[in-house]
Amino acid sequence: MLNTNRVKEVFLNSLARSEENRQPYSHWLLSSVLPADVAGSIACLPFPPATIDRYSGKRNSEDDQRVYLNAEMNSRFPECSVLAEALDSADVRSALESRCRVDLSGSHLRIEFTQDTDGFWLEPHTDISVKKFTMLIYVSRDPQLYDAGTDIFDGDRQLVSTVPYSYNEGLIFIPSNDTWHGFRKRPIRGIRQSLIVNFVTDAWQDTWELVRPRAA
């Protein structure tokens, strides 16, 4: 049953159990992030993967095909609405601030649904300064994607670790000038489905992407 309070409860339990790794920067690994029916429903949203002739190593190569859990999407799909409401709740914001040592006051929630296919890659990068918080939630059940998790790099852009890709598991980090991450070129055996969750500042220009509309 799709229920905002149940999503909050499951997520808060996952966050409380999360494992913090401090090398090369603090990041948290989560499991059983969402109720299974919600994660499964998100994975079944009726949108095809982006069609890209050649990936650039940046997500903006697929800008015209990106999918956001914005106001229009949340009005169409109940699973998107309950997820957005739960993650944007005061309880979840407070728990994230405490667990991840971050100030989310005045920030706005942005959620993107991504479906990466073979050929996709992301160069090592740090998130732009208007992002105050980043979380990835992996929602594909395909066991062949076990090695398709996010790559963590040190300040010299050397690989430190790869987050395991597994259904309904995730990663949190607080963007800064040393939070290097990406996705090295390697085969993707299936469709790498993920949710990218950000809290962003008022400086975010593409306001239509946000969960709650606001004036630009």
Side-chain angles (χ1 to χ4, degrees):
M1 182 176 66
L2 296 173
N3 181 282
T4 298
N5 286 333
R6 189 165 64 91
V7 176
K8 284 169 53 176
E9 178 182 3
V10 170
F11 178 77
L12 290 172
N13 285 336
S14 176
L15 182 65
R17 299 191 315 270
S18 63
E19 171 191 349
E20 181 179 1
N21 293 311
R22 294 179 179 266
Q23 297 300 325
Y25 50 83
S26 284
H27 58 281
W28 292 260
L29 302 180
L30 303 93
S31 60
S32 300
V33 184
L34 305 173
D37 58 334
V38 174
S41 294
I42 295 290
C44 292
L45 287 171
F47 298 96
T51 302
I52 306 295
D53 291 333
R54 182 177 180 180
Y55 286 98
S56 68
K58 297 177 171 39
R59 282 232 176 255
N60 61 12
S61 63
E62 54 190 277
D63 271 355
D64 60 341
Q65 302 179 67
R66 296 171 79 170
V67 176
Y68 299 97
L69 276 61
N70 56 17
E72 190 269 337
M73 276 276 288
N74 294 337
S75 69
R76 291 175 58 192
F77 301 103
E79 57 269 53
C80 297
S81 178
V82 297
L83 175 61
E85 289 178 11
L87 294 184
D88 207 26
S89 67
D91 291 344
V92 167
R93 281 175 173 258
S94 177
L96 290 172
E97 288 182 323
S98 176
R99 182 74 177 103
C100 302
R101 304 180 294 278
V102 61
D103 179 8
L104 299 178
S105 58
S107 62
H108 308 275
L109 179 61
R110 173 181 179 266
I111 305 174
E112 181 177 4
F113 174 52
T114 64
Q115 300 188 92
D116 305 320
T117 55
D118 196 40
F120 169 84
W121 66 287
L122 282 177
E123 65 185 7
H125 64 285
T126 59
D127 284 351
I128 56 179
S129 60
V130 293
K131 292 182 178 179
K132 302 181 72 172
F133 171 93
T134 297
M135 173 169 64
L136 295 102
I137 305 172
Y138 306 128
V139 294
S140 173
R141 294 181 182 271
D142 192 339
Q144 295 190 92
L145 293 168
Y146 66 92
D147 62 348
T150 303
D151 294 323
I152 303 293
F153 300 94
D154 63 20
D156 296 321
R157 322 304 191 263
Q158 297 300 305
L159 179 68
V160 173
S161 63
T162 297
V163 176
Y165 186 104
S166 188
Y167 173 68
N168 208 14
E169 297 192 356
L171 162 72
I172 290 173
F173 62 88
I174 306 307
S176 70
N177 59 10
D178 67 348
T179 52
W180 294 94
H181 62 287
F183 187 83
R184 290 168 295 128
K185 291 182 179 180
R186 58 190 185 272
I188 298 177
R189 296 172 292 273
I191 302 176
R192 181 182 182 258
Q193 297 177 302
S194 308
L195 290 167
I196 304 175
V197 180
N198 298 113
F199 285 95
V200 301
T201 71
D202 279 335
W204 192 265
Q205 295 184 351
D206 295 323
T207 58
W208 65 272
E209 298 173 357
L210 303 178
V211 162
R212 300 183 190 278
R214 67 174 180 82

